[in-house]
Amino acid sequence: MERARVLIVEDVGFIATLMARFLERTGYETKTVDRGDEALEAAKQFRPHAVVLDLELPGLPGLAVCRALRETPDLKDVIVLIASAHTFDQALQEELASAGADGHFTKPVSPSALAERLKSMGVAPREEAAPDAPSQ
């Protein structure tokens, strides 16, 4: 079984580490980067099933990273969750939708809530094996 891969793009080191460690203990494979301008290349190499993307990043803002992911053929279908400590008002939610984000959450978020959110979006920790055919 292949583990689901999650790319965490977060410039606050302890938040990225907390998310990564919890998701790994839950069964995900993770990679972290701390700059927006490194995220696209990391995604091309890591081939994530989901990207947890901070809105405000050095190098390139989260919305620009999200747009770049959507414009990259091999990454256009990856699940993108935008994270921010700011309130997601209607205008920001419209910007997120326009950039192609699949969802968002307000930081801080508990790691277990993040894992549940990923699962609810179809990114389970391990790909489930097909059930065995019943014996006759």
Side-chain angles (χ1 to χ4, degrees), residues 38-90:
E38 296 171 355
L40 188 59
E41 187 58 36
K44 287 177 181 176
Q45 292 177 9
F46 186 58
R47 309 288 302 210
H49 297 95
V51 177
V52 176
L53 182 60
D54 189 12
L55 187 61
E56 296 178 3
L57 293 163
L60 192 65
L63 286 175
V65 173
C66 186
R67 285 185 188 98
L69 289 167
R70 294 298 181 232
E71 293 170 0
T72 304
D74 291 344
L75 299 169
K76 67 182 176 62
D77 295 324
V78 69
I79 299 292
V80 178
L81 280 174
I82 302 286
S84 179
H86 299 288
T87 303
F88 288 92
D89 62 20
Q90 185 64 33

Side-chain angles (χ1 to χ4, degrees), residues 21-136:
R21 285 187 180 162
F22 183 84
L23 291 175
E24 287 168 1
R25 276 186 264 154
T26 308
Y28 292 93
E29 182 178 347
T30 68
K31 178 174 181 63
T32 60
V33 296
D34 61 1
R35 297 182 53 86
D37 53 357
E38 296 171 355
L40 188 59
E41 187 58 36
K44 287 177 181 176
Q45 292 177 9
F46 186 58
R47 309 288 302 210
H49 297 95
V51 177
V52 176
L53 182 60
D54 189 12
L55 187 61
E56 296 178 3
L57 293 163
L60 192 65
L63 286 175
V65 173
C66 186
R67 285 185 188 98
L69 289 167
R70 294 298 181 232
E71 293 170 0
T72 304
D74 291 344
L75 299 169
K76 67 182 176 62
D77 295 324
V78 69
I79 299 292
V80 178
L81 280 174
I82 302 286
S84 179
H86 299 288
T87 303
F88 288 92
D89 62 20
Q90 185 64 33
L92 181 52
Q93 289 182 41
E94 289 172 7
E95 279 187 81
L96 296 176
S98 172
D102 295 296
H104 63 275
F105 63 90
T106 303
K107 295 187 297 186
V109 65
S110 75
S112 59
L114 175 58
E116 285 304 314
R117 184 71 184 273
L118 288 168
K119 287 179 199 173
S120 75
M121 299 184 87
V123 185
R126 294 185 184 274
E127 287 185 6
E128 297 297 324
D132 291 333
S135 302
Q136 298 271 339

